[in-house]
Amino acid sequence: MRRSAAVTLVAVALAAGALTAVPAQARTGAQDGAHGMADCTATACHFDVPPGTYDVKVLLGGEDAARTAIGGETGRSLLAETATGAGERVARSFTVDVRTPEGEPTGPDGSPGLDLVIGGSAPALAGIRVTPARHARQVLFVGDSTVCDQPGEPYSGWGQQLPRYLRKGLSVANHADSGESTVSYLADQRLWGTVRARIRPGDLVLVQLAHNDKTTDGATYRANLETLVAGVRERGGRPVLVTPVVRRWFNADGTLNNGTALLVNGLGVDHPAVIRSVAAAGGVPLIDLTAKTKALVESLGVEGSKALYLTDEKRDNTHTSAHGATVYAGLVRDELVAQHLVPRGTVRAR
């Protein structure tokens, strides 16, 4: 997505300090380095910015009633669909991580700069301002395909959907990668080596690795988790262990209490149990996503739970749909607030 010569939207001037169209000299890095509506068409914006963290302030609404959502980069959901009445204007802000590669760390580089998609059932973008983030706190992800920024529909990781729940000041840096185990993640410089170098004091690092540790013995799995925790703490970060989302495999009685669903590998290693044990022993915050997704899937039942996964589309009961990833990201959001891991004011309501 690149700039169009035909700019179809007009920035709406607000009170002092609010959104405005940005003159060309500012877009080239002069003044405060801000970018604005001149970099947008009716459906997309492209900003020629280097890798980094950026605050985005948007003004939504138009002459008619509208419903506008903002996505960006490799399928990230940055702002949930927001309703505005006829003639109404609503300002929203969020912080976004721009990096190369822009999606999965072992995937293609993607397009340079920041790309945003203006979506929703009746989109209306009235103004936008993009500036370098000065005091953003990072939430970094170490994970697998159930967490990552999936490159194409209908797949979506829950980490891809979490940004929609976060306000300006919290930036999601999703370094989850498809097919990774604790063994492979630690061994690849593009993965753990890159994440470890990016951690700043106070940053959260959420770790969910289990689905691909199918041949990892219990002692090794535990040691790998402890290595990740220690590495985060050495950099001044705050590790958070996350038990894996369940697979949608039902027993005849409608429960998920078998090894396939609950991530017990072929060696008998109960991954969620090991994660809980490491968290308890090391005083590490724990988000028990296994327990939460198990309860939700069982409550929805065999048919109702299909929408969370790609059962109908791909006969896939492991990977989530955009709907399922959004629901699961909401569970993570709730735990971040409940455990005071992020300030309540930096998180949007579900």
Side-chain angles (χ1 to χ4, degrees):
M1 293 171 282
R2 290 293 182 265
R3 286 184 58 188
S4 167
V7 178
T8 59
L9 298 174
V10 179
V12 176
L14 298 180
L19 302 177
T20 61
V22 180
Q25 64 267 30
R27 298 201 311 273
T28 60
Q31 297 181 11
D32 63 355
H35 297 248
M37 288 292 287
D39 296 291
C40 297
T41 69
T43 58
C45 301
H46 173 76
F47 305 99
D48 290 320
V49 296
T53 307
Y54 295 88
D55 290 331
V56 180
K57 186 174 184 180
V58 295
L59 187 69
L60 309 178
E63 293 183 4
D64 301 320
R67 298 185 67 87
T68 310
I70 309 291
E73 298 296 85
T74 303
R76 300 179 214 164
S77 177
L78 300 171
L79 185 67
E81 189 171 82
T82 303
T84 49
E88 182 185 11
R89 301 292 187 271
V90 173
R92 294 287 186 270
S93 298
F94 54 86
T95 302
V96 61
D97 174 63
V98 177
R99 62 181 183 273
T100 303
E102 70 177 39
E104 294 181 89
T106 63
D109 284 353
S111 59
L114 170 61
D115 288 293
L116 301 178
V117 177
I118 316 306
S121 56
L125 177 67
I128 189 167
R129 184 177 177 85
V130 176
T131 55
R134 303 300 182 190
H135 305 289
R137 181 182 179 192
Q138 293 186 110
V139 182
L140 298 105
F141 294 153
V142 169
D144 54 32
S145 59
T146 65
V147 185
C148 75
D149 287 351
Q150 290 282 356
E153 297 179 351
Y155 292 90
S156 181
W158 62 257
Q160 206 163 3
Q161 301 297 328
L162 187 67
R164 67 192 281 145
Y165 294 119
L166 305 182
R167 300 178 187 272
K168 175 184 173 182
L170 281 180
S171 170
V172 168
N174 190 351
H175 291 266
D177 196 69
S178 293
E180 305 299 341
S181 65
T182 57
V183 176
S184 64
Y185 203 97
L186 283 166
D188 195 326
Q189 183 62 29
R190 295 170 297 177
L191 300 172
W192 177 234
T194 298
V195 172
R196 192 175 185 281
R198 286 198 62 178
I199 299 170
R200 302 186 300 246
D203 286 344
L204 289 181
V205 183
L206 275 60
V207 178
Q208 186 215 277
L209 286 168
H211 281 85
N212 300 300
D213 280 280
K214 298 173 183 177
T215 60
T216 309
D217 65 81
T220 300
Y221 184 66
R222 184 183 187 94
N224 288 345
L225 293 175
E226 292 171 340
T227 296
L228 290 165
V229 167
V232 173
R233 286 174 167 168
E234 286 168 4
R235 297 284 297 177
R238 300 178 64 195
V240 180
L241 291 176
V242 183
T243 59
V245 300
V246 296
R247 294 188 175 100
R248 188 189 157 276
W249 288 95
F250 281 91
N251 288 328
D253 64 357
T255 61
L256 296 176
N257 60 0
N258 55 72
T260 300
L262 301 181
L263 284 297
V264 178
N265 73 11
L267 301 178
V269 179
D270 186 330
H271 294 111
V274 176
I275 296 169
R276 294 175 188 122
S277 175
V278 171
V284 183
L286 173 74
I287 296 178
D288 198 342
L289 204 51
T290 303
K292 290 186 174 297
T293 55
K294 176 180 185 293
L296 177 59
V297 170
E298 287 182 345
S299 71
L300 292 173
V302 174
E303 290 301 317
S305 62
K306 285 182 177 179
L308 297 172
Y309 293 83
L310 297 174
T311 305
D312 292 331
E313 299 91 337
K314 298 288 185 178
R315 296 184 181 180
D316 186 336
N317 291 296
T318 297
H319 297 98
T320 48
S321 63
H323 167 67
T326 301
V327 172
Y328 288 176
L331 298 176
V332 174
R333 174 252 178 233
D334 292 348
E335 283 299 298
L336 291 174
V337 172
Q339 297 189 42
H340 306 290
L341 295 170
V342 297
R344 184 176 294 274
T346 61
V347 179
R348 300 185 197 281
R350 290 180 61 183

